[in-house]
Amino acid sequence: MTVQHYPFELLPLPYLYDSLEPHIDTETMYLHHSRHLRAYVDNLNRLLKPYPEFHDWTLERLILENKKLPEDIRQGVWNNGGGVYNHQFYFAGMTPKHTELSGKLKDALYLDFETWDDFYEAFFEMALKIFGSGYLWLAADERGKLVILPLPNQDTPLSQNLTPILNLDVWEHAYYLRHKNLRAGYIKAWFQTINWEEAERRYQAALLKNALQGRRAGKNST
Ligand code: MN3
């Protein structure tokens, strides 16, 4: 992902609105990207506009160092910055191409969940159970161990020292037009769209970042 800061832009989808058919329908993708994500981008810019001292802060920094922001925009930036980050991450985590779980992420997934079915069932059940609006995340801890993590609203795993690998948006706007209240159908459909190549890139980047942090920590302790 390119480094972004104020003024944030509505990044185009890496595919067309109808590219994920029949799994995710065109109208849902159009509204989700051009209305919902645009609103988060516009709100975030509006909040930051009067505060030039934060105009060079990246999305990640606005989330990780949220407590340093002035109180009147802190929660708004948390919600809307998270909304931008999470949606960009979600859209880039899907693809119309056929991709397969492979590489280091595949090794880790089998190590941490034993079988594909165990992983799938655990993820599916937790996605079904999220109450209200939020996301289900697959994230890596500092040792590369994979965890499935439900988070409410627009919270991100970044603030828990976890590196996100995949996220499933279970806000109703992500599936209501096609699936109405039946979230299970949407979860199954989303699994058909996962961009495993992108997930593998994210996982390898997490391993590299953690390895560098580990070496730095080692250097500082000697
Ligand atoms: Mn959404």
Side-chain angles (χ1 to χ4, degrees), residues 32 36 40 87 90-91 135 154 169 171 173-174:
H32 204 169
H36 290 276
Y40 287 116
H87 280 103
Y90 168 73
F91 290 135
Y135 293 75
Q154 298 295 355
D169 185 344
W171 286 58
H173 64 235

Side-chain angles (χ1 to χ4, degrees), residues 60-196:
E60 285 84 352
R61 188 168 178 201
L62 289 166
I63 293 166
L64 284 168
E65 299 183 41
N66 185 262
K67 288 188 173 65
K68 294 181 184 168
L69 298 174
E71 206 177 341
D72 62 319
I73 62 165
R74 195 178 298 154
Q75 187 67 42
V77 170
W78 178 262
N79 294 339
N80 289 284
V84 176
Y85 181 88
N86 293 351
H87 280 103
Q88 288 182 353
F89 200 83
Y90 168 73
F91 290 135
M94 297 191 286
T95 179
K97 280 194 312 182
H98 177 76
T99 62
E100 280 180 15
L101 172 64
S102 63
K104 293 195 174 356
L105 181 59
K106 183 176 183 177
D107 293 343
L109 195 134
Y110 280 79
L111 191 65
D112 294 324
F113 299 96
E114 305 216 344
T115 69
W116 168 260
D117 289 347
D118 287 328
F119 165 72
Y120 183 87
E121 278 168 36
F123 198 95
F124 192 92
E125 288 305 314
M126 283 172 84
L128 264 189
K129 277 188 190 145
I130 292 177
F131 184 77
S133 295
Y135 293 75
L136 188 62
W137 295 84
L138 179 66
D141 76 7
E142 68 280 0
R143 294 180 305 131
K145 182 180 162 54
L146 294 170
V147 290
I148 301 173
L149 179 75
L151 289 175
N153 303 317
Q154 298 295 355
D155 290 6
T156 86
L158 292 175
S159 39
Q160 303 192 18
N161 203 24
L162 294 168
T163 306
I165 306 298
L166 285 171
N167 64 346
L168 170 60
D169 185 344
V170 296
W171 286 58
E172 275 193 343
H173 64 235
Y175 62 90
Y176 196 82
L177 287 179
R178 169 72 60 90
H179 299 280
K180 305 304 177 218
N181 56 321
L182 303 175
R183 189 187 287 172
Y186 162 64
I187 302 169
K188 278 188 202 139
W190 174 78
F191 261 97
Q192 301 302 312
T193 72
I194 295 176
N195 187 341
W196 289 110

